[in-house]
Amino acid sequence: MLGVKVYLDNAATTPLAPEVLEAMLPYLNEKFGNASSLHEWGREAREAIENARAIIAQKLNCEVSEIIFTSGGTEANNMAIKGIAFANRDKGNHIITQKTEHPCVLNACKWLEQRGFEVTYLNVDEHGMIRLEDLEAAMRKDTILVSIMHANNEIGTVQPIKEIARICNERGVYFHTDACQSFTKEALDVKRFELDLVTINAHKIHGPKGVGALVVREGTRIDPLLHGGGHEFGLRSGTENVAGIVGFGKAVEIAKPEHVLHMRKLRDLLIKRVLNEIERVKLNGHPNKRLCNNANFTFYDVDGESLVLRLDARGIATSTSSACASHKPEPSHVLLAIGLKPEEARSSLRLTLSRYNTKEEIEYAIEVLKEEVANLRRIAK
Ligand SMILES: Cc1ncc(COP(=O)(O)O)c(C=O)c1O
């Protein structure tokens, strides 16, 4: 299959949906108004933003006034963690998170530690799950925030956020969840799950890069990160990214449950065949509580980076660990946290699917994977 291109790195980012691009284009062109302006151009932009906000609020079952648009998941996570920390300092200075969070959560917490906050990093089990009893034991009188991601970006493990939220609510502690990977793929209901803060972004769901949102439940005490003209209900100043927000809304509107079923079917095929047809391989992450589009394997005696490059040379995009960390030589902190040895972590490969992948693409990827794993093992001997 010469010239074949198979994109299997959708946890890093997804291709823009054609409908999303079409919806965005007018706002990069003739509909260029500033949403704060009173004239027709301004009103047109404001209407477009509010339309997107309504679509997203409906999907999440929250109020429109609870959606704060940001520049993406990184900003929303920073805002949730630092914003809660600084606004609630009089109540306490203890935060609970876990070891397999995205670096933007972990590094925001480390930054707060340098400024007098205390952070507990919960361990996870061999599947990447926190233990609820560990969370309960870590709770203190001065705990102000628990931040546990909904689904992991490397191994796809889905955490029990409803139960975590209940534990937090019983103690009057704010709960934040980073749902960048799970949004539109897993059930996520702000009111029913009683979530205080939720991070989402657009580029993981076939929307544009550079746009996301933090859901802030009404009554939550939070400080803004960015001060200025008071945009986004006073919580995130700065002229809104109108085209990006319109694209985000469209991406949410066109995400359908049948896409999840499609991805799950292909993921199951991929996992089953890789485990059956390749020797000395193991699946990382949870056997069933995992994202519909995630497969993460350790291929023993294979260098993960070499495998990514060999697959790339044959038109297949995959990843060793999270994209944001892949320039670093250290093994993935997530794989180490679930108990892999450094050499096992370095022998790992992540394949993440989207609604656009086909069965033929997955079958091609499996055949190439079999060949390249065998080639690398032969060389390593
Ligand atoms: C779980 C998770 N959180 C946060 C982010 C960061 O989001 P963004 O790229 O929009 O800043 C990502 C994506 O890289 C992610 O996978």
Side-chain angles (χ1 to χ4, degrees):
M1 290 227 282
L2 217 59
V4 172
K5 294 273 177 220
V6 182
Y7 185 78
L8 297 176
D9 198 14
N10 289 280
T13 196
T14 54
L16 201 68
E19 301 92 319
V20 170
L21 178 62
E22 199 189 330
M24 289 174 71
L25 281 175
Y27 296 91
L28 293 164
N29 204 348
E30 72 275 11
K31 299 185 179 188
F32 58 84
N34 182 325
S36 298
S37 302
L38 288 178
H39 47 63
E40 191 186 326
W41 287 263
R43 289 197 305 274
E44 193 171 54
R46 170 59 52 202
E47 222 170 89
I49 290 175
E50 297 317 318
N51 180 47
R53 201 189 306 275
I55 293 168
I56 297 169
Q58 195 191 16
K59 190 76 158 187
L60 287 166
N61 192 24
C62 69
E63 300 299 320
V64 284
S65 56
E66 293 175 328
I67 305 263
I68 312 299
F69 286 116
T70 66
S71 66
T74 299
E75 185 191 328
N77 281 341
N78 270 269
M79 180 179 166
I81 293 164
K82 296 175 188 169
I84 290 289
F86 283 108
N88 295 277
R89 219 173 182 164
D90 56 334
K91 281 173 43 189
N93 72 340
H94 180 233
I95 294 168
I96 301 172
T97 185
Q98 50 132 4
K99 290 188 175 163
T100 62
E101 290 292 320
H102 190 273
C104 63
V105 166
L106 294 174
N107 289 333
C109 287
K110 283 193 192 123
W111 187 85
L112 285 174
E113 281 183 290
Q114 290 158 6
R115 280 151 189 85
F117 289 89
E118 286 180 47
V119 182
T120 300
Y121 300 89
L122 297 177
N123 286 318
V124 292
D125 67 15
E126 76 271 29
H127 297 135
M129 283 281 187
I130 65 155
R131 298 174 190 87
L132 296 179
E133 57 272 27
D134 288 355
L135 172 63
E136 285 177 317
M139 286 280 197
R140 307 191 326 206
K141 275 206 174 65
D142 60 347
T143 306
I144 50 174
L145 175 69
V146 170
S147 181
I148 303 286
M149 71 201 320
H150 192 190
N152 187 269
N153 44 305
E154 294 189 36
I155 55 174
T157 300
V158 180
Q159 300 281 359
I161 55 165
K162 218 165 125 185
E163 287 71 27
I164 297 170
R166 186 183 43 76
I167 291 170
C168 295
N169 283 322
E170 279 168 8
R171 290 162 178 78
V173 173
Y174 287 128
F175 175 49
H176 164 244
T177 191
D178 173 357
C180 287
Q181 293 289 341
S182 62
F183 184 41
T184 73
K185 297 188 178 75
E186 288 287 320
L188 187 59
D189 188 313
V190 172
K191 285 209 175 103
R192 210 157 52 78
F193 293 4
E194 296 190 80
L195 307 172
D196 297 312
L197 301 132
V198 182
T199 292
I200 52 175
N201 64 1
H203 77 98
K204 311 289 186 185
I205 57 166
H206 307 286
K209 292 165 189 63
V211 59
L214 181 66
V215 178
V216 180
R217 199 149 57 134
E218 215 190 308
T220 303
R221 263 169 70 183
I222 185 165
D223 279 349
L225 286 187
L226 302 183
H227 300 89
H231 306 75
E232 294 297 299
F233 312 105
L235 283 177
R236 202 279 184 180
S237 289
T239 302
E240 295 91 341
N241 172 4
V242 183
I245 292 170
V246 166
F248 194 7
K250 185 50 107 178
V252 173
E253 186 184 299
I254 64 172
K256 298 279 178 288
E258 53 263 34
H259 299 147
V260 174
L261 298 178
H262 174 75
M263 286 183 265
R264 192 175 294 145
K265 225 160 117 185
L266 295 184
R267 177 207 65 182
D268 289 347
L269 171 77
L270 173 65
I271 291 177
K272 192 170 150 208
R273 285 199 50 195
V274 167
L275 294 182
N276 281 341
E277 297 173 30
I278 302 182
E279 282 177 10
R280 285 180 294 133
V281 55
K282 84 167 169 194
L283 179 70
N284 298 312
H286 202 282
N288 47 60
K289 286 178 185 131
R290 75 183 302 135
L291 281 176
C292 59
N293 70 336
N294 174 290
N296 187 312
F297 302 103
T298 294
F299 297 100
Y300 288 91
D301 303 319
V302 169
D303 176 56
E305 259 181 37
S306 306
L307 186 55
V308 168
L309 294 176
R310 278 176 168 259
L311 294 172
D312 180 42
R314 299 185 66 180
I316 303 170
T318 60
S319 141
T320 47
S321 65
S322 62
C324 341
S326 58
H327 58 277
K328 285 200 258 160
E330 300 108 64
S332 143
H333 71 287
V334 175
L335 297 178
L336 295 182
I338 62 170
L340 266 64
K341 297 190 190 85
E343 62 271 26
E344 290 176 317
R346 285 199 190 89
S347 298
S348 299
L349 183 77
R350 179 184 75 178
L351 305 106
T352 46
L353 322 183
S354 86
R355 74 182 68 143
Y356 296 123
N357 289 124
T358 63
K359 188 165 178 245
E360 290 69 35
E361 286 181 339
I362 300 303
E363 283 169 344
Y364 171 69
I366 294 166
E367 290 310 321
V368 174
L369 194 53
K370 280 160 67 175
E371 286 174 28
E372 296 303 343
V373 166
N375 286 338
L376 284 169
R377 281 181 176 156
R378 209 171 306 126
I379 293 167
K381 266 191 188 158

